[in-house]
C-alpha cells in the first residue's frame, strides 16, 4: 500500500507541489521531504511515451454510475479488468484466473473494504487486525480512525496471542523495510490480506505468481500514477468480493471512471511494452533509476560506523530471467545510536519518518527513494556530511 | 446526495448497463428499473457540446498525490476549485466567499467525512445523527455499516428527543420527496450538514444563495456525470475542513485527479453557457426534460382515485428571473391503499423503492425520473394500465 499517510499537509518546502512538477530549486536552506512516497520520479518515462498513452474523453462519456451490471463489481470498467489480467500474466506476479477483481480509490480504500468484508456484524467482539512490525503506518490509522466495532487494531503480529478470529495484513515486499514476507500468525481462525503494492519487477525479483485469497495492488506504485487513485483487489471468494463492492458502494458509490479508463490505457501500454523489444520497457527504466539510487545511498552509508541498511538476497526474477537485487521504494535506515532519528534528521533539514510510526524503534527511520532527483542528491550530500564529520560517527 | 444506495447490484434488465448507454430495447416483459437515480438522460446535451467539453490527458500528467500543498484540501485541483466558485456565483445557489472547498469521491464520501469531522473521539458517547423523515435511505447505511463509535443513526429528526450533541442532515430539495427544507431540531448542541445535491435550477427555483456551515454538492446531480464520482463541500470552519480532508486522506488518500480536471472543464463550460446566449444552456435543457416528464406523470396520476403526488409551490427563481415549478429528480408517489407498493409495482414489472426505506410508510414509493426515455414511456403506460383498469382505482 501507499507511502502516504497522516501528515501529508505538514510538507513544507517539499516538492512537487503541483501535478506537473516543475524543476525544483532547492537551496542549502531547503527542507527535503523524504517522508512520503510520491512516485513522480517515473514521470519522464511516461512523457517519452507521447501519444501512446494520451487519453481523450468527450463530454458525454462515462456518465452512468454503472460499468457492467453483470459483474459483482458493477462499477469496474471492463477494459480495466482486462488490462489488469493481461499485465499480471505478462509480469507473472499474481494468479488472476477465476478471481474477482474489485477496483478501489487506491488500495487504501480496498484495505478498508477488505476489513469490512472479513468482519462479521454478528460477532460480539471486533475481529483483531495485526501486521508484523515494522508495519505500514497507515494500517493503524485506517483501523482506528472511525472507532469501528467491526475490527480492532492489535499491532504487531509477531507478539499477537489473543484467541478468536483475526485478520493479518501481509505486506510483501514490506513497507517500510522492503523484506519479502509470509504470514506469521498462522492460526485456523485467521484471514489474510496480502498488500502487494511493491510486488513489481522494479522493486524486487518476481519469484512466482502469488495465489492468495485477497491480494491488493495499486496503480500508484506499479506505474507511478498516484494522482489517479486506482487500486485493485484480486479476490478468490465471491461473497468477499461482493462485500468489498458493497463497502465501495456505501462509502463512495464506486470509483472514478476517468481514472479507470486511464489506468486501463497505461497498464495496457506497459504490458505491451514488456512483450515487444522496440524500446526500453517501463520496468527496466524504473529498475535502473532505483538501482542507481540504492548504489549511491549504500556508498554513502558504508562509510558510517553507526548507520546500516537492510541487505536483500539476490533472487532469480522470472520476469527478467536474471538474478536481481531488491531496490525498495523506501530505505529503512538503522542507527546504532539510541537517538530519535526523525528529530535529528529534521535538524539537518531532512524530513523522514520515525521507526516508531511503524511499530519499531526510533533508531530506525524510513526514507523515501522516490524524491525528485535534486532532492535525492541533496539528501545524499547532507547524509554524507553527517557521517564524514566524525570519521564515520555522526555529528549531533 | 445521490440516488443510488444498497441494492445497485440487484438491477435486472435495467438500463443503461454500460457507460455509453446504447438504445434500450424494452419488451412488454422487461422489468423497468426506476430504483436508482442514474442521470444518463442528460447525455444528449453533452454530446451536442462536442469538442468544447473534450478532455485530453497525456500519460505523464497528474502523477503526484498532491495538487496544491498550500491549500487545506491539498488534493483539490485548483482549476476545480475555481470552476466550482464561478458556477455558484453564476447560479446564485450558494455563498462561496471565505469558504474552504473539500473535494470528495462523490458527496457520499463527503458526508462520511463530515460525520468524522463533527464528532469527537474524546466523547464517551457517539454523536446522534438525524434527518427528518422521509430521509435519503443512504444516510442510515452510511452511519451504520462500520458500527462506528463516533456517531449513531437515530432516525427521524422530527421525533428526536435525546439530550446531547447531534448532527442533523438537511437535504434540500429533499430526496425522496422534493420538498425545500430547513433544520427541524434547532438546539444549541446541534451541528448541521446541508445536502444540496438537487439545489440546481433544473430541479427547483433558486430563491437565494445558501450560506450554511457545511454544504454538500455533487457533480452527478448538477450535470449528470455520475460516473466521475466528484462531490464538493463548502465549509466555513477551517478546522472542520481540515478534519474532512483528513478523513479523505486516511480512507482513500485524496480524490481522482482525472475526474477533478474533467469536472473543472465541464462545470466551466456549463457556467460559461449560462452567461452567454448563443445556445440553450444546460439548465434550460435539463429543466425542460424534467418539466415535460412531470407533466406527463401528473396527467396519468390525476385519473387515479388512490394515487397522489406532492404539490410544490411556484417560486421566483433568481437564476432564470421567472416564476418556476419544482421538477424533482424523484417522484414520491403516495397511495391511499394500505398496500406494500414496492412489491405491488414489482408485480407490474416496475422496480421502485418503498417508502419504508426512507423512514416512511410503504404506502409511498420513490420513483426515479431519470430513466432512459423508452423506460419512462413504458412506466407511464404500465401505471396508466394499473389505474384505468378500475376506473381510477387500482388492480391488484
Amino acid at each position: 500500500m501507499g507511502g502516504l499517510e497522516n501528515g501529508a499537509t505538514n510538507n513544507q518546502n517539499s516538492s512537487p507541489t503541483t501535478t506537473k512538477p516543475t524543476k525544483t530549486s532547492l537551496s542549502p536552506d531547503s527542507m527535503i521531504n523524504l517522508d512520503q512516497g510520491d512516485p513522480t520520479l517515473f514521470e519522464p518515462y511516461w512523457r517519452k511515451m507521447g501519444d501512446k498513452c494520451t487519453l481523450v474523453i468527450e463530454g458525454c462519456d462515462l456518465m452512468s454510475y454503472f460499468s457492467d451490471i453483470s459483474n459483482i463489481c458493477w462499477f469496474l470498467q471492463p477494459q480495466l479488468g482486462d488490462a489488469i489480467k493481461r499485465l499480471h500474466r505478462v509480469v507473472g506476479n499474481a494468479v488472476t484466473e477465476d478471481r474477482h477483481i474489485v477496483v478501489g480509490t487506491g488500495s487504501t480504500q480496498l484495505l478498508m473494504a477488505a476489513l469490512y468484508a472479513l468482519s462479521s456484524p454478528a460477532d460480539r467482539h471486533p475481529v483483531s487486525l495485526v501486521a508484523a512490525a515494522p508495519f505500514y503506518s497507515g494500517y493503524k490509522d485506517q483501523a482506528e480512525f472511525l472507532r469501528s466495532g467491526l475490527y480492532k487494531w492489535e499491532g504487531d503480529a509477531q507478539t499477537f496471542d489473543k484467541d478468536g478470529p483475526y485478520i493479518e495484513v501481509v505486506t510483501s515486499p514490506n513497507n517500510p523495510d522492503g523484506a519479502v514476507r509470509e504470514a506469521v500468525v498462522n492460526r485456523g481462525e485467521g484471514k489474510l490480506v496480502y498488500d502487494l503494492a511493491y510486488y513489481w519487477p522494479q522493486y524486487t525479483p518476481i519469484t512466482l505468481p502469488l495465489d492468495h485469497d485477497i491480494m491488493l495492488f495499486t496503480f500508484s506504485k506499479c506505474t507511478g500514477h498516484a494522482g489517479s487513485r486506482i487500486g485493485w483487489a484480486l479476490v478468490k471468494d465471491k461473497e468477499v468480493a461482493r462485500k468489498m463492492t458493497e463497502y465501495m458502494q456505501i462509502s463512495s458509490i464506486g470509483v472514478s471512471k476517468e481514472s479507470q479508463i486511464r489506468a486501463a490505457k497505461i497498464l495496457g501500454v506497459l504490458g505491451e511494452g514488456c512483450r515487444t523489444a522496440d524500446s526500453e520497457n517501463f520496468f527496466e527504466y524504473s529498475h535502473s533509476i532505483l538501482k542507481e539510487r540504492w548504489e549511491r545511498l549504500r556508498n554513502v552509508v558504508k562509510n558510517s560506523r553507526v548507520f546500516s541498511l537492510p541487505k536483500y538476497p539476490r533472487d532469480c526474477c522470472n520476469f527478467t530471467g536474471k538474478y536481481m537485487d531488491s531496490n525498495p521504494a523506501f530505505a529503512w535506515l538503522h542507527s546504532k545510536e539510541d537517538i530519535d532519528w526523525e528529530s535529528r534528521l529534521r535538524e539537518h533539514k531532512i524530513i523522514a519518518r520515525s521507526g516508531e510510526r511503524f511499530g519499531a524503534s526510533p533508531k530506525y527511520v524510513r526514507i523515501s527513494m522516490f524524491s525528485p532527483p535534486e532532492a535525492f542528491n541533496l539528501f545524499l550530500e547532507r547524509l554524507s556530511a553527517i557521517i564524514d564529520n566524525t570519521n564515520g560517527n555522526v555529528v549531533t
Side-chain angles (χ1 to χ4, degrees), chain A residues 293-365:
Chain A
R293 287 192 170 193
W294 270 95
E295 283 169 0
R296 291 173 62 201
L297 176 62
R298 288 195 188 276
N299 272 332
V300 169
V301 169
K302 78 175 183 207
N303 297 323
S304 166
R305 290 189 199 144
V306 295
F307 285 123
S308 61
L309 288 165
K311 288 187 180 57
Y312 304 105
R314 282 170 70 84
D315 215 327
C316 185
C317 176
N318 290 342
F319 173 70
T320 59
K322 297 177 197 161
Y323 268 81
M324 309 275 285
D325 289 315
S326 280
N327 297 290
F330 298 101
W332 185 236
L333 191 66
H334 176 256
S335 158
K336 278 187 207 159
E337 291 194 23
D338 199 2
I339 290 173
D340 174 347
W341 275 99
E342 179 182 312
S343 307
R344 184 60 55 84
L345 289 180
R346 199 174 276 260
E347 290 165 18
H348 291 273
K349 300 191 182 298
I350 297 167
I351 304 177
R353 192 172 300 176
S354 171
E356 279 189 310
R357 293 286 309 286
F358 304 93
S361 151
K363 292 159 79 175
Y364 287 92
V365 279

Side-chain angles (χ1 to χ4, degrees), chain A residues 10 42 99 120 140 240 246 276:
Chain A
N10 297 332
F42 301 144
R99 293 301 187 285
S120 303
K140 182 176 186 293
V240 171
E246 184 177 273
T276 56

Side-chain angles (χ1 to χ4, degrees), chain A residues 40-274:
Chain A
T40 53
L41 80 165
F42 301 144
E43 194 195 82
Y45 181 87
W46 299 111
R47 189 175 303 278
K48 233 172 31 183
M49 287 293 101
D51 286 350
K52 268 194 203 171
C53 295
T54 300
L55 183 70
V56 179
I57 311 176
E58 292 183 31
C60 58
D61 290 339
L62 308 171
M63 290 185 67
S64 175
Y65 286 108
F66 301 100
S67 296
D68 175 5
I69 60 162
S70 69
N71 193 338
I72 289 179
C73 185
W74 50 267
F75 48 79
L76 170 66
Q77 289 289 113
Q79 63 267 56
L80 177 58
D82 293 344
I84 287 168
K85 284 184 189 167
R86 272 199 307 272
L87 184 63
H88 283 301
R89 271 199 297 272
V90 170
V91 173
N93 59 345
V95 172
T96 59
E97 284 72 31
D98 303 320
R99 293 301 187 285
H100 303 282
I101 297 179
V102 181
V103 64
T105 309
S107 55
T108 300
Q109 195 186 24
L110 289 164
L111 181 74
M112 301 286 294
L115 297 183
Y116 174 70
L118 297 178
S119 57
S120 303
D123 285 355
R124 281 185 55 210
H125 299 290
V127 61
S128 299
L129 177 67
V130 296
F135 42 71
Y136 172 63
S137 48
Y139 300 145
K140 182 176 186 293
D141 296 338
Q142 287 190 272
E144 291 185 337
F145 81 130
L146 294 179
R147 288 222 240 145
S148 172
L150 296 178
Y151 41 79
K152 185 167 188 285
W153 174 250
E154 295 283 358
D156 190 358
Q158 290 163 102
T159 55
F160 175 68
D161 59 3
K162 273 200 175 171
D163 287 331
Y166 70 93
I167 301 168
E168 180 177 349
V169 189
V170 182
T171 316
S172 183
N174 191 38
N175 173 1
D177 69 358
V180 171
R181 286 185 153 193
E182 301 281 352
V184 304
V185 182
N186 297 316
R187 285 206 314 254
E189 293 158 295
K191 288 169 181 164
L192 301 175
V193 179
Y194 277 77
D195 182 346
L196 303 175
Y198 302 98
Y199 192 46
W200 295 104
Q202 67 267 53
Y203 305 114
T204 195
I206 303 302
T207 53
L208 82 170
L210 292 176
D211 185 19
H212 301 291
D213 287 354
I214 303 179
M215 300 187 280
L216 308 183
F217 289 91
T218 167
F219 190 38
S220 303
K221 298 311 185 304
C222 173
T223 66
H225 290 84
S228 305
R229 314 305 313 119
I230 290 292
W232 61 94
L234 304 177
V235 181
K236 258 186 207 170
D237 183 77
K238 186 173 174 177
E239 182 55 21
V240 171
R242 196 196 60 71
K243 278 203 74 180
M244 289 180 73
T245 300
E246 184 177 273
Y247 175 91
M248 235 57 85
Q249 185 171 326
I250 300 175
S251 65
S252 64
I253 319 187
V255 173
S256 160
K257 298 218 186 315
E258 289 85 350
S259 288
Q260 287 192 58
I261 60 166
R262 183 155 182 252
K265 181 143 203 168
I266 289 171
L267 294 178
V269 169
L270 169 53
E272 200 47 46
C274 295

